[in-house]
Amino acid sequence: MDFIQFARSHGIIIDAHPPMGVWKRFPTEDHPRSRNGAVKYMGDVGFVQNHATSTVVSIWKPDSPVTAEDKKISVAAIRQADDQRRKQQQVAIQRAIGMLNGSGFSTHPYLERKGFADEQGNVLWVEGKPVLLIPMRVAGSLVGVQQIDADGGKKFLYGQRTSNATFTFDNRGVNIVCEGYATALSVRAAMKQMKQRYTLHVCFSAGNMVKVASGLERGIVIADNDASGTGQEAAQKIGWPTWMSDRTGEDANDFHMRVGMFAFTQSLTHTINVQRQSGAALQVTARRP
């Protein structure tokens, strides 16, 4: 099986070999309008992940041995790709700095729809429309921004680094990892009501949530209840006490908006108690008090 066939067997829509040595995103059969598929071709090895269905990277190797000449070509191509990626990341950093400097601190329609009408963030007006900017950092250094429009559409800057990137609400408390910004706002509000300290890590994807958690000692996972099982799989891989909505397709903000802050806080309290008492791996589906 060649690399293209291998990628297709994982539901990724791909017709030709991608540039060597870099991760590239592609549509998937289950989400043809999104780019949930990621592939990295190295010549003598390849990596494939369908983010909609798995947090695990699948590894491809060719059926026949790779010649020394082919390996030499692959190494040169990978070095070139690495240089290009670093350049793109630096461009993205400078663009993020410019966008944040050009933004103002204000409310945003997306935040209002998510139940936080008074919440303010970095808002940049682009062609007469407000774009919410979520700074993304790795080890404290800015690497890019997530852009959220008024309808909730989200995207990153071209070429920016996303691996291990987070936005953090640091109240010097228990580590809490989650995917989305709105989810973090709901959890932060609940923790404040409970007068609990927190360090909330917005990770932007389930796969990245696993990477971020691997660098932390202990904590709590706020998982999305994805129909694909991606959020649940990420939580199980992390192995921390986990809160998750009792409805498929919901994240914590959806649950908060449906049942109200009091019920959400009561539900989250159970997971916090589990984390405090045992620190053991456990999945806790939301329960109505």
Side-chain angles (χ1 to χ4, degrees):
M1 181 183 294
D2 65 23
F3 182 70
I4 300 299
Q5 293 170 332
F6 183 79
R8 287 175 178 169
S9 72
H10 288 76
I12 295 174
I13 302 172
I14 182 173
D15 297 318
H17 282 93
M20 193 172 294
V22 295
W23 282 102
K24 285 301 211 181
R25 302 298 292 261
F26 291 88
T28 58
E29 292 176 355
D30 47 352
H31 294 286
R33 295 184 180 180
S34 301
R35 297 170 70 85
N36 289 329
V39 305
K40 185 176 184 179
Y41 179 63
M42 307 285 282
D44 58 347
V45 67
F47 306 95
V48 171
Q49 184 175 7
N50 185 336
H51 289 279
T53 60
S54 178
T55 60
V56 178
V57 176
S58 299
I59 302 173
W60 167 87
K61 290 186 177 180
D63 297 327
S64 57
V66 178
T67 66
E69 184 61 25
D70 286 339
K71 286 185 178 180
K72 185 176 179 181
I73 294 172
S74 297
V75 169
I78 290 168
R79 286 176 179 170
Q80 183 179 12
D82 285 342
D83 290 341
Q84 181 65 21
R85 183 176 66 253
R86 283 191 287 268
K87 290 177 182 178
Q88 289 175 346
Q89 289 177 349
Q90 288 302 314
V91 170
I93 289 171
Q94 294 306 312
R95 188 179 174 198
I97 292 172
M99 293 174 73
L100 289 168
N101 287 342
S103 68
F105 210 60
S106 68
T107 58
H108 189 269
Y110 173 76
L111 299 177
E112 182 177 357
R113 282 181 34 236
K114 293 297 182 176
F116 298 93
D118 296 329
E119 182 74 22
Q120 295 189 332
N122 294 289
V123 176
L124 179 69
W125 286 83
V126 180
E127 297 180 353
K129 297 180 180 179
V131 178
L132 179 65
L133 305 178
I134 312 300
M136 300 173 64
R137 292 182 168 84
V138 175
S141 297
L142 184 71
V143 295
V145 292
Q146 183 183 52
Q147 305 166 74
I148 307 178
D149 62 30
D151 297 323
K154 301 171 184 175
K155 64 180 181 180
F156 303 120
L157 295 177
Y158 176 76
Q160 77 162 74
R161 176 178 175 178
T162 56
S163 179
N164 284 302
T166 62
F167 177 88
T168 303
F169 292 107
D170 192 353
N171 191 234
R172 300 180 182 276
V174 60
N175 286 308
I176 304 174
V177 294
C178 65
E179 290 189 44
Y181 186 73
T183 286
L185 292 178
S186 291
V187 175
R188 184 186 66 171
M191 295 296 282
K192 284 184 175 180
Q193 280 210 0
M194 291 184 281
K195 294 181 171 54
Q196 300 288 333
R197 289 192 174 275
Y198 53 85
T199 302
L200 262 164
H201 307 269
V202 181
C203 303
F204 304 100
S205 72
N208 195 46
M209 192 165 63
V210 175
K211 294 178 183 178
V212 171
S214 68
L216 303 172
E217 290 187 6
R218 278 175 54 186
I220 294 170
V221 179
I222 307 297
D224 293 357
N225 191 346
D226 301 310
S228 64
T230 302
Q232 300 94 311
E233 186 178 349
Q236 289 169 0
K237 193 168 185 179
I238 293 169
W240 295 350
T242 298
W243 182 95
M244 186 176 66
S245 172
D246 57 348
R247 284 193 183 180
T248 301
E250 281 194 347
D251 59 22
N253 178 259
D254 298 322
F255 183 86
H256 159 209
M257 295 294 287
R258 172 167 61 88
V259 305
M261 179 51 67
F262 178 77
F264 175 51
T265 300
Q266 292 296 100
S267 177
L268 185 58
T269 298
H270 179 60
T271 309
I272 293 172
N273 289 338
V274 169
Q275 193 274 339
R276 281 179 173 172
Q277 293 169 9
S278 68
L282 176 69
Q283 179 164 304
V284 181
T285 300
R287 305 184 303 178
R288 290 294 296 272

